[in-house]
Amino acid sequence: MRLVFMGTPDFAVPALHALHAAGHEIVAVYSQPPRPAGRGKALRASPVQQAAEALGLPVRHPAKLRKNEEEWAAFAALEADAAVVAAYGLILPQVMLDTPRLGCLNIHASLLPRWRGASPIQSAILAGDTQSGVTIMQMEAGLDTGPMLLSGAVPITTDTTATSLHDALSALGGQLAVRVLAEQPTPTPQPEEGVTYAPLLTREDGRLDWTQSATALDLRVRALTPWPGTFTLLADGTVLKIGGAIPLPHHKHTATPGTALDDALTIACGEGALRLTRLQKPGRGMMEAEAFLRGQPMPADTRLYHTLPAASA
């Protein structure tokens, strides 16, 4: 088939490779424009653009699609059978959705209709879901509301992190996209029940509230690492990023939540305790707990805070 592929981050790269390996003619790849990155703020092409160029595929990166009639015409001139979209980052106007012969197909990282929206991978872990997956859907104007073509599930275990789930769903998305184009299954409307929304995440979502249970805090660390990242505060206002932890849900204590229960980074929670295994101070790299403690011991009774007391702010 003649395909247009539209994607930007690492998540979309395996799908591009899978479609190319399956023998489809990818007539154009759309990706968001290069962005300033690194200390020198030099323009850096997206992972999808880099992958496309390595495959010798033409890349387009318009800054916008809304009211961009020139781009609409260029898209139509490609005469694609279908467009496959994976985390592209720009909303496709209806005129573009209607252009390819088979329409536009989206690779969405959840088992729709659960977790429509911007952060399906993180939201599934954060909610304590036992499985996630990928749904290939026919795109329409609504937010992830289109009819479903094919889906596949991936288990979420107590060891699953946003990174490991991202990688599993990324690979699965490519496999399912190839199958959909080969099999062309009949679209199935999404059920009206079971709809949930995955919000756009911000840095504040990573702030750890020690009054929560150890289980809930472990979910937050696993869901929001590496992005937007989880963090806590020392009494002097120093921000500690937390990159890994072990929940101790049955640990009994009478300490104030946020208090170190020993000198090995076991922190009291509202219920149980959380043992921190990876930490990062400002200006330093993420490090294992043992290495961190060599540079900054944290004896028992050290306090960690969700927000600083007013007198210390």
Side-chain angles (χ1 to χ4, degrees):
M1 288 188 186
R2 287 176 61 86
L3 299 180
V4 172
F5 186 83
M6 312 179 84
T8 297
D10 290 325
F11 177 83
V13 171
L16 174 60
H17 283 150
L19 293 167
H20 184 267
H24 293 288
E25 181 186 3
I26 302 175
V27 294
V29 173
Y30 277 70
S31 194
Q32 289 204 42
R35 309 289 190 197
R39 291 185 177 180
K41 299 300 180 183
L43 292 180
R44 180 181 299 171
S46 74
V48 164
Q49 180 174 341
Q50 294 178 46
E53 290 175 346
L55 293 171
L57 301 174
V59 178
R60 299 183 67 86
H61 39 68
K64 67 173 185 175
L65 297 177
R66 185 172 178 267
K67 297 182 179 180
N68 189 345
E69 295 187 11
E70 180 179 350
E71 196 57 51
W72 301 348
F75 186 75
L78 295 169
E79 298 183 339
D81 294 306
V84 177
V85 183
Y88 176 37
L90 292 180
I91 296 174
L92 274 62
Q94 191 66 48
V95 65
M96 294 183 72
L97 294 176
D98 295 339
T99 295
R101 179 174 63 87
L102 298 176
C104 299
L105 313 179
N106 182 245
I107 302 173
H108 185 73
S110 82
L111 296 173
L112 291 170
R114 187 162 178 80
W115 303 127
R116 296 173 179 172
S119 59
I121 292 174
Q122 296 92 339
S123 294
I125 298 174
L126 195 56
D129 290 359
T130 58
Q131 67 172 359
S132 181
V134 169
T135 303
I136 310 295
M137 68 173 180
Q138 194 87 40
M139 293 179 69
E140 59 181 30
L143 177 63
D144 301 329
T145 57
M148 303 178 294
L149 296 165
L150 192 64
S151 64
V154 169
I156 297 177
T157 71
T158 55
D159 296 323
T160 298
T161 64
T163 297
S164 64
L165 185 56
H166 168 282
D167 292 350
L169 298 183
S170 178
L172 177 60
Q175 298 165 15
L176 294 179
V178 171
R179 281 187 54 193
V180 162
L181 293 172
E183 301 169 12
Q184 297 189 38
T186 301
T188 302
Q190 292 188 37
E192 295 182 4
E193 65 277 2
V195 175
T196 56
Y197 290 94
L200 186 66
L201 297 172
T202 71
R203 181 178 181 274
E204 280 300 302
D205 291 302
R207 188 184 292 270
L208 298 180
D209 181 354
W210 297 103
T211 65
Q212 294 183 340
S213 70
T215 299
L217 289 168
D218 171 58
L219 290 173
R220 188 163 294 272
V221 172
R222 289 192 285 118
L224 303 185
T225 300
W227 187 89
T230 54
F231 67 96
T232 188
L233 302 175
L234 292 174
D236 63 2
T238 298
V239 175
L240 287 183
K241 292 184 179 180
I242 308 302
I246 297 172
L248 304 171
H250 304 299
H251 193 293
K252 301 298 182 183
H253 64 81
T254 58
T256 301
T259 303
L261 299 173
D262 54 26
D263 59 0
L265 296 172
T266 303
I267 310 301
C269 304
E271 180 180 335
L274 195 69
R275 180 164 295 147
L276 307 182
T277 59
R278 302 190 75 232
L279 305 91
Q280 179 181 358
K281 289 183 65 175
R284 304 289 298 276
M286 187 69 70
M287 61 184 70
E288 300 299 318
E290 182 178 350
F292 177 88
L293 289 172
R294 284 199 294 268
Q296 175 157 344
M298 289 180 57
D301 296 328
T302 299
R303 284 290 305 276
L304 300 179
Y305 295 92
H306 173 249
T307 55
L308 293 180
S312 302

